[in-house]
Amino acid sequence: MLLLCLDSSAVASAALVTGAGEILGSFASPDTRSHAEVLAPAVRDLLAGHGVTGGDLDGILVGTGPGPFTGLRAGIATARALAFAWDVPLHGLMSLEALAQDAAAHARTAGHEEFLVLTDARRKEVYWARYALAEDGPRPAGGPGVAAAEQLPALPAYGRGAGIYADRLARPVPEFAAAQPTASSLGLAAARRAARGEAPSPDTTPLYLRESDAKVPGPRKRAGA
C-alpha cells in the first residue's frame, strides 16, 4: 500500500508512506504562512522524484487539524482535489496524532503513562490532546481542545506549543520544544492504527475549534437612521 500524506496544520508538509510504515520521501516547509503556495508544487516534485503517479497511490491521507483556518484549509483542499482528480480514496486523521507518534518513544523511555501534545494556537493559547501510552502505542485519552497552557493538567507536554509556553506548564519536555505535526509522522501514525485493526476514517472535516475572525458584514445603515 502506498499513501500520499499531507498536513498543513502547522507547517506545510507532504510524504509518501507505505502501509508498513516506511517513509519513501518527504517535504516540510519551515514557513507557516505560505501553505497554499508551496504544497501543490511540493507534491508534484515529491511524486516525480520517486517515479510515482497519482494512479500508483492507494489513497491520500490528510491531517484535519486542529490548526489555523487558512493553513488548514490549504492542505485539506489540496487533498480533496487530488483524490477527486486521481480517483483514489481519501482519509483524514487528527494532526496531533503525528506529534503523539513522535513523542511516544521518549514518553515510554521516560516512564510516562500519559502525556500531552501541544501546538501553537496563537492568541496565547494552545491546541492540545491527551494520550495514554499502551503497549501498541499512544491512544487518545482526551481532547482535542484549545486552551491557555496554564489550564492544562500537570502532565509531560510535547510540541512547539509546550516550547512557547514552557513557563506556564508544569512539565514541558524541552527536547520536543520545537516539534510540529508533519505528514511523515501522520503517515506513521496511520500505519500504527492500521496494524492494530483500526480502519481509516473517510472524514476530512477540519478541526478549527474556534470561530473565524472573519465576519459577514451586516446591512448598511441608512443615512439618518
Side-chain angles (χ1 to χ4, degrees):
M1 177 172 284
L2 181 62
L3 289 178
L4 171 64
C5 305
L6 306 177
D7 191 271
S8 61
S9 62
V11 301
S13 60
L16 283 172
V17 182
T18 71
E22 179 186 1
I23 300 171
L24 301 183
S26 64
F27 161 86
S29 168
D31 186 357
T32 60
R33 297 183 182 273
S34 62
H35 301 72
E37 294 84 353
V38 303
L39 196 53
V43 169
R44 177 198 62 205
D45 294 344
L46 179 64
L47 296 184
H50 291 81
V52 174
T53 68
D56 297 324
L57 298 173
D58 295 294
I60 296 175
L61 173 71
V62 65
T64 57
F69 286 80
T70 303
L72 197 54
R73 271 198 300 265
I76 294 175
T78 299
R80 288 174 176 175
L82 294 177
F84 176 80
W86 293 333
D87 192 24
V88 296
L90 177 62
H91 311 295
L93 185 61
M94 182 177 70
S95 301
L96 293 175
E97 285 274 332
L99 269 183
Q101 173 70 28
D102 290 339
H106 183 278
R108 191 179 300 281
T109 300
H112 305 321
E113 294 184 359
E114 289 192 325
F115 60 91
L116 301 172
V117 291
L118 279 59
T119 58
D120 181 19
R122 301 170 188 167
R123 304 184 195 171
K124 299 182 179 179
E125 292 182 323
V126 294
Y127 296 119
W128 66 272
R130 182 172 180 163
Y131 285 85
L133 197 56
E135 287 297 320
D136 56 0
R139 290 181 175 264
V146 59
E150 56 268 27
Q151 296 176 330
L152 299 177
L155 292 170
Y158 294 79
R160 186 167 184 266
I164 294 173
Y165 301 107
D167 59 334
R168 302 184 184 184
L169 294 163
R171 300 170 67 184
V173 179
E175 297 94 328
F176 285 75
Q180 303 261 50
T182 64
S184 298
S185 296
L186 192 75
L188 295 180
R192 169 177 48 80
R193 282 173 162 255
R196 65 190 186 201
E198 296 183 24
S201 171
D203 187 4
T204 60
T205 304
L207 295 168
Y208 291 132
L209 302 188
R210 275 192 186 135
E211 298 229 351
S212 174
D213 288 334
K215 303 296 181 184
V216 177
R220 297 180 61 184
K221 292 184 179 180
R222 291 187 297 174

